């Protein structure tokens, strides 16, 4: 702290009263009207407002449980990503042609960079002393455009989402799979397939897809087991023809097939 | 008794000026909703701070159960909200509080902007305020991944792709955030956790301190 003779301070503050005099705001006593002591009068009112706000907030929290979706599955190709609502404006912006694909830099850096850069530097772009919105139409206009654009983009994004479908992603709708472990083919499955397709046909991230709703018949499955399909190499199955048949039957009977032979023996819950 | 204690501390530390800076000042009429109801617009900044306090407290309690690891993160969140007493409430406060704080900081920004309160001599405080806004967005983005559900995972993947599209340094930014130029996985989760609970809150507290010191030093802007 500076100390010394002849130092002047502004009011009861420790701001020095020097040539920067004009940067110092007026003392509160110079404001017209009725001032009020912050402590304790005003603070008490603030606490009352805060308490009412907190009660309202807690009521909302109590009646609106937070959803948790099913555990992250990087192999889930069908999932449609959705950010939190306050990023939707950016998410929606990137859907426009001028801000997507080869112009993606315009959407991710250009437009948001200009908008938020202007926001950050607003005091240096709008330097005239007039404070009323009507005295600075350009600044006010730009801000209104920015706010309206953000609200519009968010609105467009929200109405485009199929919220009912998203409900199905919730953990409450998670399907617990079970397989018939007494099936003679289960042992064959455990030895040949489980390491990539999971203990209950649910798949393993990065290794193999789930086998929960295969459209194949038992014969096709037996063929795929031996010869492979897509990224699955041939020769994964190692065993006798009888075991192969048991394996194919096991998978068909435990998958949610539409036209396979075991369709009526659906063991999913 | 209390006065004696205060005097004892004050004798040694000279805390009276600190106390005066924090509490002993006049509230001008034009910001006092008791005199002009329209002055409720001045509440948004205080409410932003209030919700930030809620976020810090609820977040501290969440970390008592949360495990930042891809095997256990999702299970720990599910356990928290289905088994732990009031876990659903605490997680709810943190989740909805994140939205409320964004709304409040947005309204506060609009109030300051349309009143022209950022003009000389308050330019620096405006810049700190906008930086606080960015930090809040960062907290929202990093916090979204932590439950490690599908919503979290895929939204983060999109977010990282956006970071990657930045010219020249895009891949470096993505690697810094995700721990790997391609994989969103174990390292991404621990990094986002570290950013969410250590790096960004540290920045937040520092900027908030600056914000408040400047307000106290300059006083609130006068009536229009």
């Amino acid at each position: 702290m500076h100390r010394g003779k002849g130092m002047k301070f502004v009011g009861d503050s420790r701001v020095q009263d020097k040539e920067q005099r004009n940067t110092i705001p007026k003392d509160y006593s110079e404001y017209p009207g009725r001032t009020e002591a912050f402590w304790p009068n005003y603070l008490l009112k603030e606490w009352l407002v805060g308490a009412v706000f907190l009660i309202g907030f807690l009521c909302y929290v109590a009646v609106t449980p937070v959803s948790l979706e099913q555990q992250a599955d990087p192999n889930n190709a069908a999932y449609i990503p959705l950010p939190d609502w306050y990023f939707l404006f950016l998410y929606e912006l990137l859907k426009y042609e001028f801000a997507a694909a080869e112009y993606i830099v315009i959407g991710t850096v250009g437009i948001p960079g200009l908008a938020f850069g202007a926001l950050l530097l607003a005091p240096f772009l709008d330097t005239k002393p007039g404070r009323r919105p009507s005295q600075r139409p350009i600044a006010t206009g730009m801000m209104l455009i920015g706010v309206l654009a953000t609200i519009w983009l968010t609105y467009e994004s929200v109405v485009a989402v199929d919220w009912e479908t998203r409900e199905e992603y919730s953990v409450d709708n998670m399907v617990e799979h079970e397989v018939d472990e007494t099936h003679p083919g289960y042992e064959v499955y455990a030895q040949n397939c489980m390491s990539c397709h999971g203990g209950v046909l649910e798949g393993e991230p990065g290794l193999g897809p789930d086998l929960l709703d295969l459209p194949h018949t038992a014969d096709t499955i037996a063929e795929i087991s031996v010869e492979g399909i897509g990224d699955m190499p041939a020769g994964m199955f190692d065993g006798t023809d009888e075991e192969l048949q048991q394996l194919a039957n096991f998978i068909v009977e435990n998958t949610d097939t539409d036209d396979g032979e075991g369709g009526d023996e659906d063991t999913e819950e | 008794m209390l006065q004696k204690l205060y005097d004892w501390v004050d004798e040694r530390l000279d805390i009276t000026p600190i106390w005066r800076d924090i509490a002993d000042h006049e509230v001008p009429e034009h910001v006092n909703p008791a005199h002009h109801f329209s002055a409720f617009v001045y509440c948004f900044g205080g409410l932003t701070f209030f919700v930030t306090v809620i976020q810090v407290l609820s977040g501290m309690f969440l970390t008592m159960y949360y495990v930042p690891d891809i095997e256990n993160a999702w299970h720990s969140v599910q356990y928290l909200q289905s088994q732990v007493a009031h876990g659903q409430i605490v997680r709810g406060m943190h989740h909805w509080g994140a939205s409320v704080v964004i709304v409040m900081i947005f309204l506060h920004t609009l109030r300051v902007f349309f009143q022209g309160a950022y003009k000389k001599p308050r330019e620096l405080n405006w810049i700190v305020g906008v930086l606080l806004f960015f930090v809040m967005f960062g907290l929202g983005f990093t916090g979204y991944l932590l439950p490690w559900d599908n919503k979290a995972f895929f939204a983060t993947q999109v977010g990282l792709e956006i970071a990657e599209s930045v010219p020249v340094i895009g891949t470096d930014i993505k690697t810094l955030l995700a721990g790997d130029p391609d994989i969103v996985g174990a390292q991404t989760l621990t990094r986002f956790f570290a950013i969410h609970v250590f790096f960004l809150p540290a920045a937040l507290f520092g900027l908030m301190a600056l914000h408040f010191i400047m307000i106290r030093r300059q006083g609130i802007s006068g009536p229009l």
Side-chain angles (χ1 to χ4, degrees):
Chain A
M1 194 192 293
H2 295 288
R3 287 175 194 276
K5 272 186 183 175
M7 289 184 76
K8 282 185 174 178
F9 296 94
V10 178
D12 63 346
S13 79
R14 288 178 290 161
V15 177
Q16 286 178 49
D17 184 16
K18 286 205 298 190
E19 58 273 9
Q20 77 268 45
R21 182 70 187 86
N22 57 349
T23 68
I24 303 304
K26 287 185 290 184
D27 193 83
Y28 290 117
S29 59
E30 289 183 39
Y31 287 124
R34 298 152 286 180
T35 59
E36 187 176 13
F38 175 75
W39 174 276
N41 310 25
Y42 190 70
L43 187 63
L44 181 66
K45 291 179 195 162
E46 276 197 337
W47 272 353
L48 289 175
V49 173
V52 170
F53 176 84
L54 184 63
I55 290 169
F57 178 64
L58 281 178
C59 287
Y60 181 80
V61 167
V63 299
T64 324
V66 186
S67 73
L68 181 67
E69 294 192 351
Q70 290 153 32
Q71 188 171 14
D73 174 10
N75 286 347
N76 188 341
Y79 190 87
I80 304 161
L82 189 73
D84 223 344
W85 66 267
Y86 43 84
F87 286 116
L88 283 178
F89 73 96
L90 186 58
Y91 185 67
E92 184 70 15
L93 178 66
L94 299 178
K95 290 183 188 166
Y96 287 88
E97 259 179 54
F98 59 84
E102 65 261 48
Y103 304 121
I104 190 81
V105 176
I106 296 176
T108 57
V109 182
I111 296 174
L114 268 180
F116 286 107
L119 188 72
L120 185 68
L121 299 175
F124 305 103
L125 300 173
D126 173 29
T127 49
K128 291 198 185 124
R131 280 179 49 203
R132 290 176 177 281
S134 54
Q135 289 170 312
R136 45 197 182 97
I138 297 177
T140 309
M142 299 286 258
M143 189 62 160
L144 280 177
I145 290 171
V147 170
L148 290 178
T150 307
I151 292 172
W152 168 251
L153 286 171
T154 307
Y155 170 77
E156 281 284 281
S157 187
V158 168
V159 294
V161 174
D162 183 356
W163 295 101
E164 279 182 21
T165 311
R166 298 201 75 84
E167 288 284 301
E168 290 169 18
Y169 296 147
S170 165
V171 66
D172 303 328
N173 295 318
M174 194 161 64
V175 183
E176 288 287 341
H177 298 292
E178 269 183 31
V179 292
D180 177 11
E181 295 188 8
T182 59
H183 193 284
Y186 178 75
E187 202 55 35
V188 188
Y189 174 82
Q191 280 165 17
N192 290 284
C193 320
M194 196 181 274
S195 57
C196 293
H197 291 294
V200 289
L201 310 182
E202 81 280 21
E204 283 288 341
L207 293 173
D210 67 75
L211 307 177
L212 296 172
D213 47 356
L214 296 178
H216 306 303
T217 62
D219 289 342
T220 323
I221 289 172
E223 197 180 307
I224 293 170
S225 308
V226 176
E227 294 172 10
I229 184 172
D231 286 338
M232 178 177 168
M236 293 306 291
F237 174 75
D238 180 28
T240 64
D241 283 351
E242 189 193 349
E243 283 172 343
L244 182 62
Q245 200 53 48
Q246 285 172 343
L247 171 68
N249 286 336
F250 166 75
I251 292 174
V252 157
E253 286 170 24
N254 286 285
T255 195
D256 186 19
T257 174
D258 295 330
D259 50 4
E261 295 150 17
D264 53 345
E265 291 186 44
D266 190 354
T267 57
E268 276 186 45
E269 281 188 352
Chain B
M1 176 64 203
L2 215 58
Q3 188 61 40
K4 263 188 175 174
L5 187 70
Y6 180 87
D7 290 342
W8 189 88
V9 177
D10 190 44
E11 187 190 348
R12 284 154 182 81
L13 296 176
D14 191 21
I15 56 173
T16 300
I18 301 172
W19 169 249
R20 200 172 60 196
D21 276 359
I22 293 171
D24 194 13
H25 55 88
E26 294 284 305
V27 179
E29 178 184 342
H30 73 282
V31 306
N32 193 335
H35 295 309
H36 305 281
F37 181 70
S38 62
F40 74 87
V41 294
Y42 287 94
C43 288
F44 296 138
L47 287 174
T48 307
F49 175 67
F50 185 52
V51 184
T52 305
V53 172
I54 292 178
Q55 291 303 92
V56 171
L57 292 177
S58 58
M60 277 158 57
F61 282 100
L62 288 180
T63 54
M64 295 175 102
Y65 286 93
Y66 179 73
V67 184
D69 151 60
I70 55 172
E71 287 287 324
N72 299 307
W74 183 84
H75 292 283
S76 69
V77 175
Q78 218 221 351
Y79 176 78
L80 173 79
Q81 54 170 47
S82 58
Q83 308 293 322
V84 178
H86 307 305
Q88 176 75 265
I89 296 287
V90 177
R91 177 161 188 248
M93 287 172 77
H94 204 70
H95 177 93
W96 297 116
S99 292
V100 174
V101 85
I102 295 281
V103 171
M104 289 299 161
I105 204 170
F106 183 64
L107 293 173
H108 178 58
T109 308
L110 290 185
R111 194 277 292 172
V112 173
F113 185 88
F114 284 117
Q115 289 194 341
Y118 56 81
K119 287 174 180 284
K120 188 181 177 186
R122 298 189 172 79
E123 300 97 324
L124 290 174
N125 216 3
W126 168 266
I127 288 183
V128 169
V130 176
L131 292 178
L132 276 167
F133 205 152
F134 295 162
V135 169
M136 282 297 179
F137 269 135
L139 283 163
F141 176 63
T142 50
Y144 209 56
L145 175 68
L146 301 184
W148 199 251
D149 57 0
N150 275 322
K151 185 170 65 175
F153 181 86
F154 287 101
T156 300
Q157 212 168 38
V158 173
L160 289 172
E161 279 165 19
I162 290 174
E164 198 180 14
S165 76
V166 176
V168 188
I169 54 168
T171 313
D172 291 332
I173 296 176
K174 189 185 178 188
T175 311
L176 178 70
L177 290 173
D180 187 280
D182 300 310
I183 304 166
V184 177
Q187 186 126 66
T188 316
L189 185 60
T190 49
R191 288 206 177 184
F192 271 52
F193 180 73
I195 293 169
H196 188 77
V197 301
F198 294 112
F199 289 82
L200 287 181
L204 186 77
F205 296 153
L207 289 169
M208 268 170 30
L210 282 175
H211 206 60
F212 297 153
I213 288 169
M214 282 195 253
I215 293 169
R216 191 50 59 240
R217 185 142 269 236
Q218 300 182 315
I220 200 159
S221 60
L224 273 175

